[in-house]
Amino acid sequence: MREKLPELTAVYHSILPLVSLVTLTDTVVSPYPVSDINIKAYPPGGGTLGLHYDTNGITVLLFLTTNSEAPLRMQVQRSHPSKKDSWVENRKIYAKKGALLIMQGRKVLHDSEPTVNEQKLSVVYNYYERHDTYRHEDFDNFVYYGRPPKTLGDNARGEDRP
Ligand SMILES: [Fe+2]
């Protein structure tokens, strides 16, 4: 992928200051080269991704297709000092070719509604905060090489993956 599409790596590094500004974090690129950039393909007829939090702190999606179905669904935790209780804001984001979506994926529960007739393609850029680049040691071995985890903690989480 890197040899055929060097632009994807260039974008990954060049938007880092923007991602840092928008998220108000000290954003860093992934220290895990196997999982820094993915392309996620959702085929027509049920391509989906289950409800999950991301393992990495910040995920940026670069949409490669415009879709009228299969939105990213997000459950955003909200609170305000004027309100007694917190609440959950449900958002549906439809892919628009060329658009960037910046998400703090550890804080927002999300999934992708299944496709029906369309194909959906997204580039997934994984970032971390400088002070917290935690990633479970078995995660990439399991996701990318199918090696069974030696240990899997109770807080194991999913993540966008190819
Ligand atoms: Fe995700």
Side-chain angles (χ1 to χ4, degrees):
M1 184 265 293
R2 279 167 224 280
E3 299 76 29
K4 296 266 197 306
L5 295 167
E7 300 89 346
L8 296 186
T9 304
V11 169
Y12 181 54
H13 289 273
S14 61
I15 65 173
L16 190 142
L18 174 71
V19 176
S20 181
L21 263 173
V22 170
T23 58
L24 301 174
T25 64
D26 190 359
T27 313
V28 293
V29 296
S30 173
Y32 312 101
V34 74
S35 56
D36 57 354
I37 305 172
N38 295 313
I39 296 178
K40 179 102 183 109
Y42 301 85
T48 190
L49 185 64
L51 199 62
H52 67 282
Y53 292 102
D54 291 340
T55 304
N56 52 301
I58 300 160
T59 298
V60 176
L61 302 180
L62 168 59
F63 295 118
L64 300 180
T65 53
T66 296
N67 295 95
S68 62
E69 55 186 52
L72 172 68
R73 296 184 292 205
M74 310 169 80
Q75 300 176 24
V76 187
Q77 284 288 338
R78 299 287 190 200
S79 64
H80 190 271
S82 68
K83 311 260 191 219
K84 188 169 169 235
D85 299 316
S86 60
W87 68 98
V88 175
E89 180 186 341
N90 288 290
R91 300 285 306 272
K92 280 188 178 184
I93 313 270
Y94 288 85
K96 188 178 171 198
K97 188 174 180 176
L100 283 175
L101 182 137
I102 302 175
M103 174 173 69
Q104 299 204 43
R106 278 186 188 170
K107 299 178 180 172
V108 179
L109 200 56
H110 57 281
D111 67 1
S112 184
E113 199 171 290
T115 58
V116 182
N117 299 308
E118 299 175 359
Q119 182 188 47
K120 178 180 164 189
L121 293 170
S122 309
V123 179
V124 181
Y125 290 126
N126 290 329
Y127 297 91
Y128 292 79
E129 291 187 57
R130 191 178 306 276
H131 72 276
D132 184 357
T133 57
Y134 171 79
R135 188 171 182 81
H136 192 282
E137 59 179 337
D138 289 336
F139 200 80
D140 286 345
N141 278 334
F142 179 64
V143 170
Y144 297 98
Y145 305 108
R147 294 187 199 128
K150 287 174 278 186
T151 58
L152 201 58
D154 293 336
N155 61 348
R157 292 171 162 181
E159 175 174 274
D160 290 332
R161 54 190 184 260

